[in-house]
Amino acid sequence: MSNIGIQQKVGVRQNLLQDASKRNKLNGILPFAGLLLVILFFTIVTGGSILDAQNLNNLLHQSFTVVIVAVGAVFVYSHGGMDMSLGALQGITQLGAAWVITSSILPPGLAIPASILIGMLVGTITGGVHVLMGVPAFVASLCVRYICSGITYTVTSKQDIYIPYTEFTQYNSGVIKALVLIVVLAAGYIIFEYTRFGKNLKAIGGNITVAKQSGIATKLNIVLAYAIIGGLVGLTGFFTLTRVGMINASSGQGLELNILTAIVLGGFPLTGGSASRLHSAIIGALTVTVLTNGLTLWGIDPYIIGGIKGLLFILIVGVTYDRSKGKLVL
Amino acid sequence: MKKFTMLLSIVLVLMLTLSLAACGAEKAVEDKPAAKPESTEGFKEIEVSDESGYPKAADLPKHKIGVLYWGYTDLLGSQIKKNLDYLGKEFNCEMVYADGGMAIEGYVTATENLIQNGAEGIISIFALPGMIEACEKAGVYLVQGLNETSDEDTLTLMKNSKYFVGMFTENDYECGYTMVEDLYNKGCRNITYMSPTPGMAANHDNRVRGIEDALKDYPDMQLLSNYRGEAQVEALQNFAAVYPEMDGLIVTGGTQGGTESIYQTIQSEGLSGKVKFATIDIGEGTAERLESGDLAWIAGGQYPTTGIAFSALYNALVGTPVIEDCTKTVYRPFMSIQSPEEFEQYIKYVDGDIPPYTGDEVKALIKKFNPDASLDLYEQYGKAYGIQDVVERHKDLF
């Protein structure tokens, strides 16, 4: 091959790399820009009401669950997994916490660990069914969802379950929730970005066969990822219970869809892999919360809110979808 | 080019959405009034008569009221919105609507958002502890309409709250009981019943309790089977296959198209003429089923209860509260319909151009406008409520 031919090939390769780098930078900025635009837009249309102190407190409470579960979702989606049981799982973790709180034998303080443990246990079952029985994650989590829903329906069938709300109002404090958020975000960031476990999950998401051949215990890592998301769902289950004060058969419903929306809006790759970043999921979670809050503050009718959210969803996904790889990119 | 195509498609989607919205706003002049219930059009504006002495909307101070229900697109939801929009105009109130989403916790979030949006009072299907506290902190009045709360701790929270107004609902238990009783009186002895998943809706659960208790009081009426869930069409198909002796069917409600599906299934399974059907929530096809005799008993007309709840909220807002014990539910009856003639009257007087309670009739419940307004008057309104009551009060308005 002539020198000119080699130089041309190198030139083409460099151009492709530069294009890819630009595209990655742009796609990395877009979700941030999207969130800022959404905040700016609602600041204008609500006359600044969205950013007043009371509403910032509301946003903290309203984003608490979705941000914390999004941290857990990062571990699942980064390896190419999926969990459709999150809402039903949150329902039974709330049930477990309520049982401890209303029990005359156990101290109410055990409600938090009980809720987390139930979440981790169910998460482990989902992961276990997925990797040990070879059932696709979608199907395994769907089955677990039905089991969890069945338990919640059965227990709440006679009547809604209430907790002594006034005894738990301290858990609704913005300070406590902010502290919990900081701890979960920091721990999630360190574990996902800087530990072998986090890197293993990205490797599994990139190519599971190569990951296995590289000596990664893929099954163990996957099950652990589901246990983590389960534990975090359990944590939010307790706080949701103390925020609402009761459980019925609908408790937790739709959480998995909110998380999926957050993941996609944040530009997180649904197929997982090395491009997975924790901040993408957090940005997506905040965008979902601000959108819902802002549209209500703007006074938009609820049935139009759904349509607007759908249109924005198409717009954001349309802009951030990398067609060359057939997946969403950061 | 690709970006252009994408932008073009977004613009087209927007145009389609807007044009659909515009179509929805046009008046459907060709619909026959007796064919189906209509709830998308607003109610007629009725002039405040000089004799009434009640102030006109323009003379009243402006208030902002939040409304929080499961949704406003099904028949009952749209009736609630239509009625509250009408009362908003009559009382110079801006009505802001929100829904609770799929999960119960969504109602707390929606309450916070409504408060942030400037609502001075909220009418809601739920009064959860978290909602009561959010309203208490913000100094926003909360009234529960179309549902009630029986948990002791929550009742204490309500009692201690300065801003919880009260609870207004239909007597669901009594309605469940009446459905069994009516089928029994019409000769049914082998019945089945269906209701949504237990725990999903307290009002349906109360109706089921009424059904179960009535069955105990009529021991010669046999419950062949029951189904609690959402796949009611399939369940009815199974009942039809397994229980040929079935002569009565009760469904505790089907506001989101459920009643229509049951009508269709009764016909497709050959149950027409064999099984008498009793249910709640009026939908399309009701007139035909009453005519054919398949539909023995149907109840509806519950949406004005939210208007009654509105009046209690308004009383609290203007500083003349009339409900002393906010933990005591004010019950109202369902409006039962048993013949095509009654249904025709229902379409005209309850789901027609004029709501079952006009602005003046609701203003009569406001102590500031009518010094005689009291809990007794609320109870009188409830006791009298029925087709004939509305016909009697409104016959001169048509």
Side-chain angles (χ1 to χ4, degrees):
Chain A
M1 192 181 284
S2 67
N3 280 343
I4 298 168
I6 292 169
Q7 279 171 358
Q8 275 178 339
K9 275 196 172 177
V10 170
V12 169
R13 192 164 179 269
Q14 277 175 342
N15 284 341
L16 282 172
L17 283 171
Q18 277 173 357
D19 283 350
S21 167
K22 273 184 199 167
R23 199 172 54 228
N24 275 344
K25 274 184 191 163
L26 183 69
N27 286 330
I29 293 165
L30 276 173
F32 279 105
L35 176 61
L36 287 176
L37 268 176
V38 167
I39 293 172
L40 184 69
F41 176 76
F42 286 119
T43 305
I44 295 166
V45 297
T46 64
S49 169
I50 197 165
L51 289 180
D52 80 22
Q54 182 53 48
N55 198 52
L56 289 177
N57 187 48
N58 287 345
L59 284 170
L60 170 69
H61 288 288
Q62 291 169 15
S63 64
F64 182 80
T65 294
V66 72
V67 168
I68 287 188
V69 179
V71 171
V74 161
F75 292 90
V76 170
Y77 282 88
S78 64
H79 76 253
M82 180 177 268
D83 196 337
M84 297 305 289
S85 70
L86 300 177
L89 171 57
Q90 204 203 45
I92 65 157
T93 62
Q94 288 188 47
L95 214 55
W99 182 74
V100 173
I101 288 169
T102 53
S103 144
S104 52
I105 313 158
L106 298 167
L110 282 181
I112 299 180
S115 185
I116 294 172
L117 278 175
I118 291 169
M120 289 182 79
L121 178 70
V122 176
T124 306
I125 292 170
T126 306
V129 169
H130 168 44
V131 296
L132 298 176
M133 296 174 73
V135 177
F138 177 79
V139 178
S141 59
L142 212 54
C143 296
V144 170
R145 173 198 163 133
Y146 285 127
I147 295 168
C148 293
S149 298
I151 294 169
T152 311
Y153 288 168
T154 308
V155 178
T156 57
S157 63
K158 292 290 174 197
Q159 60 181 45
D160 301 337
I161 296 169
Y162 286 82
I163 58 162
Y165 178 80
T166 45
E167 291 172 25
F168 290 86
T169 44
Q170 69 271 27
Y171 294 101
N172 283 322
S173 120
V175 178
I176 287 193
K177 284 192 173 169
L179 282 174
V180 172
L181 266 175
I182 290 167
V183 170
V184 170
L185 283 171
Y189 185 71
I190 292 165
I191 295 170
F192 188 67
E193 302 289 358
Y194 295 105
T195 66
R196 180 169 292 278
F197 171 57
K199 292 182 197 311
N200 286 349
L201 291 174
K202 288 181 199 173
I204 295 167
N207 189 321
I208 192 164
T209 312
V210 174
K212 271 182 194 168
Q213 287 171 350
S214 309
I216 295 172
T218 54
K219 288 182 180 175
L220 180 66
N221 281 287
I222 290 172
V223 173
L224 266 177
Y226 281 97
I228 287 175
I229 195 171
L232 290 174
V233 167
L235 179 67
T236 62
F238 171 79
F239 281 98
T240 304
L241 176 64
T242 57
R243 173 169 153 81
V244 179
M246 64 88 89
I247 309 165
N248 72 4
S250 77
S251 294
Q253 273 191 15
L255 179 60
E256 59 278 344
L257 294 179
N258 283 339
I259 294 301
L260 196 58
T261 310
I263 288 283
V264 176
L265 282 183
F268 196 93
L270 281 176
T271 46
S274 61
S276 308
R277 295 283 181 271
L278 187 125
H279 64 75
S280 307
I282 308 306
I283 293 292
L286 292 175
T287 308
V288 169
T289 312
V290 173
L291 257 178
T292 309
N293 177 270
L295 287 167
T296 312
L297 293 195
W298 194 14
I300 302 287
D301 272 340
Y303 46 82
I304 301 175
I305 287 179
I308 292 176
K309 278 164 95 174
L311 283 173
L312 284 169
F313 196 62
I314 291 172
L315 187 72
I316 294 169
V317 173
V319 171
T320 56
Y321 193 75
D322 182 355
R323 290 158 187 83
S324 63
K325 289 179 185 171
K327 61 183 183 182
L328 290 164
V329 296
L330 179 71
Chain B
M1 185 64 192
K2 272 184 184 174
K3 279 190 177 170
F4 172 74
T5 315
M6 193 181 71
L7 282 171
L8 185 69
S9 59
I10 290 166
V11 170
L12 286 172
V13 168
L14 277 170
M15 283 170 64
L16 185 66
T17 311
L18 292 173
S19 60
L20 280 174
C23 287
E26 278 174 27
K27 199 175 177 186
V29 286
E30 286 176 15
D31 277 346
K32 290 175 189 171
K36 59 178 181 178
E38 282 294 339
S39 286
T40 49
E41 299 295 321
F43 286 120
K44 202 159 109 180
E45 282 185 35
I46 305 157
E47 284 289 311
V48 175
S49 61
D50 291 335
E51 299 90 68
S52 75
Y54 299 133
K56 290 184 176 176
D59 302 329
L60 292 169
K62 184 102 180 160
H63 291 290
K64 196 178 218 181
I65 310 280
V67 184
L68 184 47
Y69 279 83
W70 62 89
Y72 308 95
T73 50
D74 66 313
L75 185 66
L76 183 55
S78 61
Q79 283 175 327
I80 289 169
K81 187 172 185 299
K82 178 175 149 181
N83 191 38
L84 291 175
D85 277 342
Y86 165 78
L87 289 176
K89 280 184 196 159
E90 291 283 323
F91 282 78
N92 195 25
C93 290
E94 183 189 344
M95 309 303 289
V96 190
Y97 295 87
D99 68 33
M102 293 165 83
I104 193 78
E105 44 269 30
Y107 285 86
V108 179
T109 298
T111 303
E112 290 168 349
N113 291 344
L114 285 172
I115 292 169
Q116 184 65 23
N117 197 7
E120 298 158 72
I122 295 173
I123 304 165
S124 168
I125 181 117
F126 290 112
L128 306 171
M131 292 168 66
I132 297 167
E133 194 187 67
C135 287
E136 185 72 19
K137 275 185 183 166
V140 169
Y141 289 99
L142 175 67
V143 64
Q144 189 172 14
L146 288 185
N147 207 348
E148 63 182 317
T149 305
S150 56
D151 171 64
E152 284 303 322
D153 285 332
T154 310
L155 292 177
T156 308
L157 208 60
M158 288 170 172
K159 202 165 196 160
N160 294 336
S161 167
K162 276 190 231 161
Y163 294 95
F164 187 75
V165 175
M167 299 180 277
F168 296 84
T169 190
E170 279 64 38
N171 197 329
D172 290 293
Y173 174 89
E174 193 179 83
C175 186
Y177 195 99
T178 308
M179 285 194 282
V180 174
E181 208 164 39
D182 188 77
L183 289 186
Y184 184 88
N185 291 337
K186 285 174 178 158
C188 301
R189 292 294 180 271
N190 296 295
I191 69 158
T192 57
Y193 78 79
M194 301 195 286
S195 187
T197 305
M200 288 298 273
N203 50 354
H204 284 268
D205 293 344
N206 286 336
R207 290 168 199 170
V208 168
R209 274 190 268 278
I211 293 170
E212 297 280 358
D213 283 355
L215 284 166
K216 283 178 203 156
D217 292 347
Y218 292 94
D220 55 328
M221 186 180 225
Q222 198 192 347
L223 177 68
L224 298 171
S225 186
N226 69 330
Y227 170 74
R228 302 292 312 266
E230 276 61 48
Q232 296 189 347
V233 167
E234 290 78 2
L236 180 54
Q237 287 168 340
N238 294 343
F239 290 163
V242 179
Y243 304 109
E245 69 273 35
M246 177 170 70
D247 56 12
L249 167 70
I250 295 173
V251 178
T252 61
T255 182
Q256 289 171 319
T259 310
E260 291 88 323
S261 316
I262 298 297
Y263 292 153
Q264 302 282 346
T265 314
I266 286 175
Q267 199 157 23
S268 63
E269 293 299 314
L271 300 174
S272 201
K274 293 182 198 164
V275 172
K276 291 199 188 314
F277 178 37
T279 191
I280 300 163
D281 295 327
I282 288 156
E284 280 185 50
T286 299
E288 292 83 350
R289 297 299 158 193
L290 282 165
E291 196 80 52
S292 70
D294 292 340
L295 186 59
W297 191 94
I298 188 163
Q302 57 267 58
Y303 75 89
T305 297
T306 55
I308 299 295
F310 170 92
S311 71
L313 183 71
Y314 195 89
N315 264 318
L317 263 177
V318 298
T320 55
V322 288
I323 310 292
E324 278 177 26
D325 184 357
C326 65
T327 61
K328 205 175 158 194
T329 306
V330 178
Y331 289 110
R332 291 172 47 77
F334 278 94
M335 190 177 267
S336 68
I337 297 161
Q338 299 182 61
S339 69
E341 294 73 34
E342 280 184 341
F343 185 68
E344 233 174 86
Q345 288 179 326
Y346 173 89
I347 290 296
K348 184 176 176 184
Y349 290 95
V350 181
D351 205 30
D353 288 341
I354 296 167
Y357 295 113
T358 62
D360 270 9
E361 285 163 343
V362 178
K363 279 174 185 163
L365 292 167
I366 309 299
K367 208 171 176 66
K368 197 173 179 181
F369 309 148
N370 173 19
D372 295 334
S374 63
L375 180 60
D376 279 350
L377 189 59
Y378 276 82
E379 285 172 346
Q380 278 173 34
Y381 269 48
K383 270 180 200 154
Y385 187 62
I387 288 279
Q388 291 318 316
D389 164 52
V390 183
V391 172
E392 198 57 41
R393 284 187 283 114
H394 292 179
K395 60 187 176 205
D396 298 334
L397 297 174
F398 286 88

